Amino acid sequence: MTARKGLLFDLDGTLLDSAPAFMAAMDAYADQVGLPRLTEHREHFASAGARAAIREIHQMTPEHPRFHQRRADFLALFLDTPVTLNSWYPGIRDWLLELNRDGIPWGIVTNKPRPHTEKVLTELLELEPPALVCQGDLPTIKPDPAMLWAASDQLGLAPEHCLYAGDHERDVQAGQAARMHTLACTFGYLHEEDQPDRWGAHGLVHTPLELKHTATQWLTQT
């Protein structure tokens, strides 16, 4: 008998194309603080996150005494960015609704703060996943595995019965540390020097459709 399994996903660059929204927020923030807009590797920051954006815009490290306030200012501005600038990758929204309808355990584990995540899910998906763990829910974030363990607990599954897919090396690192099956998504916001084939994931998927097919196949394996 096949063991009950569940699917867990990163959000930005894996399920959601949030680069247009994040880039709009970066531009608005740079204008607000009177610094030049970033022009290189802009999409990468949608996956790398607010910390990376603040580091690059201000050329400062997290140890700077004003770093965390500036990150908070950016996130407040990002929260006001129109949700409609985000979009699901092709076929993803229907697949998530299908998983929900069929009672297949699934969830999202993201380093995106909860207010931003819930706004997207409420307006673009119109449901909350069976498992949802966001930045700020726990003291640590990925690549620490604690967020993934919290999600598997929400699903009532052992970590080894979960698959975790993401587009960043830290996603694979977190999944490995959590003892989950891992997929690296190469259609996300990879940096030019990223080498996903060296991250140690159990598999690579190059399109959202391949993610669906590979994850569905894994669910049925004994």
Side-chain angles (χ1 to χ4, degrees), residues 15 19 49 58 64 66 68 71 83 89 102 111 143 147 149 154 171 202 204 213:
L15 302 178
H58 285 282
H64 191 284
R66 296 189 63 187
H68 295 291
R71 175 180 171 273
V83 171
Y89 285 118
D102 294 344
N111 282 354
M147 296 177 76
W149 285 331
Q154 289 180 19
D171 296 317
H202 293 93
L204 299 179
H213 286 169

Side-chain angles (χ1 to χ4, degrees), residues 126-177:
E126 299 179 349
L127 65 83
E128 183 171 313
L132 179 62
V133 183
C134 306
Q135 181 180 145
D137 292 351
L138 297 172
T140 60
I141 57 174
K142 298 177 294 182
D144 188 283
M147 296 177 76
L148 274 66
W149 285 331
S152 64
D153 284 347
Q154 289 180 19
L155 295 178
L157 297 176
E160 56 267 28
H161 292 159
C162 294
L163 175 151
Y164 187 60
D167 74 312
H168 197 283
E169 185 174 12
R170 64 170 173 251
D171 296 317
V172 175
Q173 292 170 338
Q176 290 173 326

Side-chain angles (χ1 to χ4, degrees), residues 16-137:
L16 188 76
D17 181 6
S18 58
F22 201 86
M23 290 188 293
M26 287 195 303
D27 288 345
Y29 178 81
D31 293 347
Q32 180 176 284
V33 298
L35 291 172
R37 294 182 174 186
L38 299 182
T39 58
E40 296 183 355
H41 312 303
R42 287 163 54 82
E43 288 191 355
H44 173 70
F45 289 98
S47 183
R51 287 179 176 83
I54 293 300
R55 278 198 303 267
E56 192 70 17
I57 291 171
H58 285 282
Q59 292 295 297
M60 67 167 54
T61 67
E63 290 72 35
H64 191 284
R66 296 189 63 187
F67 183 90
H68 295 291
Q69 181 57 55
R70 285 173 171 165
R71 175 180 171 273
D73 293 342
F74 172 82
L75 288 174
L77 190 154
F78 183 35
L79 190 59
D80 287 336
T81 302
V83 171
T84 51
L85 290 177
N86 299 274
S87 60
W88 300 106
Y89 285 118
I92 289 294
R93 184 179 187 274
D94 288 343
W95 181 36
L96 297 180
L97 295 175
E98 179 183 319
L99 292 175
N100 212 62
R101 185 183 64 246
D102 294 344
I104 296 173
W106 70 279
I108 292 172
V109 182
T110 175
N111 282 354
K112 196 186 197 81
R114 180 169 284 272
H116 302 72
T117 303
E118 290 184 336
K119 184 176 181 181
V120 167
L121 296 178
T122 298
E123 298 190 29
L124 297 185
L125 189 61
E126 299 179 349
L127 65 83
E128 183 171 313
L132 179 62
V133 183
C134 306
Q135 181 180 145
D137 292 351

